[in-house]
Amino acid sequence: MKLRLVAALVAAAMLSACGLNSVPTAEENAKAKWAEVQNQYQRRADLIPNLVQTVKAAGAQEKAVLVEVTQARAAATQVRVSDADLTDPDKLAAYDRVQAGVTLSLQRLQEAYPELRSQANYATLMTQLEGTENRIGIARRDYNEAVQSYNTTIRTFPDAIGAKIFYGAKPMAPFQATTPGADTAPKVDFGNGN
């Protein structure tokens, strides 16, 4: 009777050490870490259209302000007052109006720079994207650590027994950068306007 009890306890201990719990736990952890990698890539994908629209909006807003300044300046250069016109109140009033237009457009320009809301949005989005890039790196690192733990679990005794017999476990692949040129920073060219 005692021998059967001891044998049952030894068998239970061996089964509990065979990876019945540790293998699926390690596998689920690695899967959760991969889901976080995908989550961070999705976050980045979701932020990029907002960034593009913000840049477009900033460009349009800046363009509108600059066009207004340019048009006001062009109008102001068209109205001339000579020494002989200094006695004509209508000519002076016309001159004053176009110069006031330049002043107003310059005031708008000063109000717009550097406080363009779109530029603030751009800076915010760029900060969010930078943070997302950091989160992606952390998520990939965490995934690789979870994969290493899982792969070690299914290859080491006694968990390797349960991993093969009960689960048919196979090693997971760690994240590896496969993008051509991923080791070099991209070049950004704002000069062509496209």
Side-chain angles (χ1 to χ4, degrees), residues 2-35:
K2 287 185 179 186
L3 187 57
R4 288 186 194 169
L5 181 61
V6 170
L9 289 174
V10 169
M14 287 180 66
L15 280 175
S16 69
C18 289
L20 288 178
N21 291 325
S22 60
V23 171
T25 300
E27 182 181 27
E28 291 304 315
N29 184 44
K31 288 178 180 178
K33 298 298 182 182
W34 179 249

Side-chain angles (χ1 to χ4, degrees), residues 58-134:
Q61 188 172 1
E62 291 172 13
K63 184 178 179 181
V65 172
L66 292 174
V67 166
E68 181 182 340
V69 170
T70 304
Q71 289 174 342
R73 181 187 173 275
T77 59
Q78 297 299 313
V79 177
R80 300 191 188 264
V81 175
S82 67
D83 292 345
D85 297 328
L86 292 176
T87 58
D88 186 350
D90 291 330
K91 288 215 175 193
L92 288 174
Y95 187 81
D96 187 52
R97 278 192 302 272
V98 292
Q99 293 302 326
V102 173
T103 301
L104 183 61
S105 66
L106 288 173
Q107 286 173 343
R108 287 188 185 131
L109 183 65
Q110 288 174 341
E111 291 170 2
Y113 286 98
E115 300 298 328
L116 275 175
R117 291 187 190 273
S118 58
Q119 285 185 348
N121 290 341
Y122 175 79
T124 299
L125 284 167
M126 286 306 294
T127 300
Q128 288 179 5
L129 279 169
E130 183 179 300
T132 300
E133 291 297 329
N134 291 336

